[in-house]
Amino acid sequence: MTSHKCRMSVHLRLISVAIVLAFAPGALAKSKSNKRQHPLASKQKNSAYTSTEIRNAQSDVRTLPTQITQARADAQRIRDEATKSQKSQSGLQGDVTTSNTALTDAQAKTRSATASFHEAAAAADRVRTKLMADFNSSDRVVNALKLLDEAHAAQKVVEDGIIARLLQSADYRAIEADSKRAEEKVTELRSQTDADPSTLAEASTAWIAVKGKLETARNDAFTIDAAHIAAAQKTADAEATLRSLRADFETSLSNGPEMSPLLAALKAAKEGDATAQKLVKASQSTLDSAKSKAFAAQQSSANSNQKIRDADARVTSLQQNLDYSKKVLNSTSHN
């Protein structure tokens, strides 16, 4: 009996110690520490989520998976478009290279065509100069020039006689004297470095006016003089003869056996040069267009990269929101 009572006493003491240790500060701290291991670190066990938070979490769990699926599909579509754009960009860069090569070839052809044109022009000029010299030394031209010189000389003799008669008139001598003085004044003003421009302009105007009066007086006298009319006609006839000879020469020159093939070659070279110049312009335009498209593709590619980053960020954000909502619902179900 005594032994049984002793055993009961020891047992009670052990229970008391266990109870004391269970409620000791260290034990309480350990219990609280274990409870903080809950996945929702920001929520304590005794912290309840509001009904609004729970409803939002339930809504997110229902809707976010679909949104995430769509966001991932959008991200993949943007990646596919970027890949297609990169392939297109590679092709556009190839177009730039091809267009640049075409422009280089066109420029080379233009240089060759221009050189051919200059050579053809030089060859035609050499033959033309020789034929022109032969023409000017021909008897027909020499005689025509002689007749023209004689007509000019005869006309001058008649004009000098008319002017001599005009000088007998005091009015004509006065006009001539005024013209001479006006000319001398203009000459003097022009020699002065500090001459007033307006004064020089007025003097020049006055000289032109009085010189016009002098020429009018002479022409009026020439017009009514029969000898001058006849002399002037001979001069005009001699000039017409010479013009006719030169016109015939130009016609025969173009169709002649020496110049005709050279002129044909010159025409072809000129057309070839013009065609080459147009090709250069067209090639330059094509190159500029290719460069513009390639640059636009580069910009589009850069924009696509940003769109991909934005799409991935949206997927990550939606997934984080879904994970959080699941944790909210999981926490409330544990509580």
Side-chain angles (χ1 to χ4, degrees):
M1 184 67 178
T2 302
S3 175
H4 178 69
K5 288 181 179 180
C6 288
R7 285 196 299 272
M8 287 292 294
S9 177
V10 171
H11 183 65
L12 289 174
R13 287 194 187 97
L14 290 175
I15 292 174
S16 298
V17 171
I19 292 172
V20 171
L21 291 175
F23 290 95
L28 290 175
K30 183 176 180 181
S31 176
K32 291 180 181 180
S33 175
N34 290 336
K35 292 176 183 177
R36 281 200 296 267
Q37 301 306 312
H38 194 279
L40 294 177
S42 61
K43 292 286 185 178
Q44 299 294 332
K45 180 178 178 182
N46 57 353
S47 297
Y49 288 99
T50 66
S51 59
T52 299
E53 289 177 315
I54 294 173
R55 283 196 302 272
N56 290 339
Q58 291 172 339
S59 176
D60 287 346
V61 169
R62 288 193 303 272
T63 60
L64 286 179
T66 301
Q67 295 182 27
I68 292 172
T69 300
Q70 183 61 49
R72 286 173 177 166
D74 291 342
Q76 186 58 48
R77 175 180 54 78
I78 294 173
R79 282 188 170 84
D80 293 342
E81 291 176 353
T83 300
K84 183 178 179 180
S85 177
Q86 289 176 350
K87 293 180 179 179
S88 174
Q89 182 178 345
S90 176
L92 290 173
Q93 192 59 47
D95 291 343
V96 171
T97 302
T98 301
S99 299
N100 193 44
T101 301
L103 175 60
T104 301
D105 293 342
Q107 289 171 336
K109 290 179 180 178
T110 298
R111 288 192 294 270
S112 177
T114 301
S116 297
F117 170 69
H118 289 160
E119 290 174 1
D125 286 341
R126 286 193 297 270
V127 175
R128 178 184 177 84
T129 299
K130 178 183 178 300
L131 294 176
M132 179 64 76
D134 294 342
F135 167 75
N136 288 331
S137 62
S138 66
D139 293 340
R140 291 184 303 165
V141 176
V142 170
N143 291 334
L145 289 172
K146 181 180 178 181
L147 290 174
L148 180 59
D149 290 342
E150 291 174 351
H152 280 150
Q155 184 176 341
K156 187 176 186 308
V157 170
V158 174
E159 290 176 349
D160 288 345
I162 294 173
I163 292 173
R165 290 194 298 272
L166 287 173
L167 287 172
Q168 296 176 7
S169 168
D171 292 339
Y172 181 82
R173 290 196 303 273
I175 296 173
E176 188 176 54
D178 290 342
S179 177
K180 185 176 181 180
R181 284 193 298 272
E183 182 180 4
E184 290 174 348
K185 184 175 181 180
V186 170
T187 302
E188 180 182 359
L189 289 172
R190 287 175 177 173
S191 66
Q192 298 174 4
T193 56
D194 57 347
D196 182 25
S198 61
T199 301
L200 177 58
E202 292 175 0
S204 298
T205 301
W207 177 37
I208 292 172
V210 70
K211 186 169 62 172
K213 290 181 180 181
L214 185 63
E215 291 176 353
T216 299
R218 290 176 178 176
N219 290 333
D220 289 345
F222 294 159
T223 302
I224 61 176
D225 188 270
H228 185 272
I229 294 174
Q233 185 60 51
K234 287 184 179 180
T235 300
D237 291 343
E239 290 174 344
T241 298
L242 188 58
R243 283 197 302 271
S244 178
L245 289 174
R246 286 174 175 167
D248 292 341
F249 168 74
E250 291 293 340
T251 301
S252 63
L253 186 66
S254 301
N255 300 324
E258 294 181 88
M259 281 298 296
S260 180
L262 293 175
L263 292 176
L266 178 60
K267 181 180 179 181
K270 184 177 181 180
E271 292 174 350
D273 185 47
T275 300
Q277 294 288 351
K278 290 180 181 179
L279 181 60
V280 168
K281 290 182 180 180
S283 299
Q284 184 65 61
S285 177
T286 301
L287 176 59
D288 292 341
S289 177
K291 285 182 176 180
S292 178
K293 291 179 180 179
F295 178 75
Q298 290 176 350
Q299 294 296 106
S300 177
S301 178
N303 294 336
S304 296
N305 291 335
Q306 182 59 48
K307 289 180 180 179
I308 290 174
R309 288 192 292 270
D310 293 342
D312 288 343
R314 174 170 170 73
V315 171
T316 299
S317 176
L318 291 173
Q319 185 63 55
Q320 289 175 344
N321 290 340
L322 177 61
D323 293 343
Y324 174 78
S325 295
K326 287 181 177 180
K327 290 177 181 179
V328 169
L329 298 180
N330 184 54
S331 174
T332 56
S333 64
H334 287 174
N335 291 334

